[in-house]
Amino acid sequence: MRASFADDLAVRQQADASAVGLWRKKVDEVGEAVAVEAVKRSGLAVTSLSYAGGFSGSAGLKFTEALDDGYDAVFTAAALGARTLVISTGARGRYTARHEYRLVTQAVRELSFVAEELGVQLAVMPRSTRHAARWTSLHNLADAISLCDETGRKNVGVVYDNFYLAEDPEALRFAEQCAEQIFVLQLRDALETAGEEYGQCVPGTGILPVQETIHCLFESGFAGDVDVQIFSEQLWKQDTLDVVTNCQQQVAELLRTCLAGTTASLRA
């Protein structure tokens, strides 16, 4: 979180990572042109760009402003070579549930046409009620998939975040039915059930069912990217390269262990 954009790229190269997920805030800090050139020089693929959204007004933008910002995000994602733009739709705010749902669906659908032309996928990200705040009114996987289906667009899918869906008892069962609509598997762990948002830990070092999640999604047809995103005051105090290297090793071992002997395949 506290590393610069340049540091983000440098430490991932040093850790021998093949790709990086990017935050728009950091891209904006250096400027899109500088960011694009830096990514090209790094040789890293870009899995995802986070975030666009706030269509309900919960982020302080009017609907048209949030939609315009969404278009900007799509163009930025395409310029960076990101496979997926992550969408946090926005909390309900001042709208009724039905009106908010219509607005969000309309926005995602409109963005999907330009995104398709530019080769970018859109992935809406559900969060449990406790962690949703102003981010989204989609609190479980089923609701997120329903919105995707409502758009009628094949380049609209979801992010499966094992931390934010830990309180959704039906998430894994539902994931078996819609794994191909999951574009990004976002991994993190926690030291306690319903853990504090800034007390997360490296996947495989906590108590969340990380292995079960990986095995279930890949066996069910998931073919997207695996991102690691950890909010941790403790980890942020440590050396960035050490943290990234540890994550890289832990997740690589988790994937090897979980997918050994299965029919699932894994991109390098």
Side-chain angles (χ1 to χ4, degrees):
M1 180 67 78
R2 296 182 179 126
S4 68
F5 183 84
D7 287 341
D8 278 342
L9 299 184
V11 297
R12 280 156 185 78
Q13 288 177 286
Q14 293 172 52
D16 200 28
S18 59
V20 61
L22 298 175
W23 282 70
R24 280 184 75 197
K25 182 178 180 181
K26 292 188 180 184
V27 173
D28 291 343
E29 286 173 353
V30 300
E32 183 180 308
V34 172
V36 169
E37 185 57 34
V39 168
K40 288 180 180 178
R41 288 198 306 270
S42 75
L44 292 166
V46 180
T47 55
S48 62
L49 178 67
S50 302
Y51 297 93
F55 305 117
S56 63
S58 60
L61 298 177
K62 297 178 181 178
F63 176 76
T64 54
E65 293 172 334
L67 189 58
D68 286 343
D69 180 71
Y71 282 117
D72 288 343
V74 171
F75 286 117
T76 298
L80 291 165
R83 286 187 278 268
T84 305
L85 172 64
V86 179
I87 305 287
S88 282
T89 57
R92 185 170 301 168
R94 59 188 176 86
Y95 298 108
T96 64
R98 182 173 295 181
H99 189 193
E100 184 261 348
Y101 187 81
R102 282 202 305 266
L103 281 177
V104 168
T105 304
Q106 175 189 342
V108 175
R109 188 171 190 276
E110 288 188 22
L111 292 178
S112 72
F113 289 101
V114 173
E116 183 179 40
E117 292 179 6
L118 297 174
V120 176
Q121 301 176 133
L122 305 181
V124 297
M125 182 172 171
R127 296 173 180 244
S128 63
T129 304
R130 197 160 62 89
H131 295 300
R134 63 181 177 83
W135 291 101
T136 185
S137 60
L138 300 172
H139 302 314
N140 55 64
L141 183 60
D143 287 347
I145 291 293
S146 292
L147 187 145
C148 296
D149 291 342
E150 189 71 23
T151 67
R153 303 287 296 157
K154 291 185 177 181
N155 66 325
V156 176
V158 301
V159 176
Y160 190 108
D161 187 297
N162 73 306
F163 178 85
Y164 289 127
L165 290 175
E167 297 172 52
D168 178 1
E170 298 296 318
L172 278 185
R173 183 188 65 79
F174 198 76
E176 292 178 350
Q177 306 169 30
C178 62
E180 293 180 0
Q181 290 176 274
I182 298 172
F183 293 164
V184 179
L185 169 58
Q186 204 156 266
L187 294 177
R188 44 186 122 201
D189 215 330
L191 297 175
E192 58 185 66
T193 305
E196 293 299 320
E197 188 163 26
Y198 287 85
Q200 299 168 16
C201 58
V202 175
T205 64
I207 64 170
L208 296 184
V210 179
Q211 293 191 31
E212 181 183 356
T213 300
I214 292 172
H215 188 272
C216 174
L217 264 65
F218 276 94
E219 273 288 276
S220 302
F222 169 73
D225 289 304
V226 178
D227 276 0
V228 178
Q229 186 178 117
I230 305 170
F231 292 120
S232 169
E233 293 289 352
Q234 182 179 1
L235 287 182
W236 290 339
K237 295 175 184 177
Q238 299 177 21
D239 178 76
T240 305
L241 178 58
D242 289 344
V243 172
V244 172
T245 301
N246 185 26
C247 285
Q248 178 83 349
Q249 293 171 346
Q250 287 280 353
V251 173
E253 181 59 29
L254 279 168
L255 290 169
R256 279 194 294 268
T257 301
C258 295
L259 302 183
T262 72
T263 58
S265 60
L266 183 68
R267 284 200 306 266

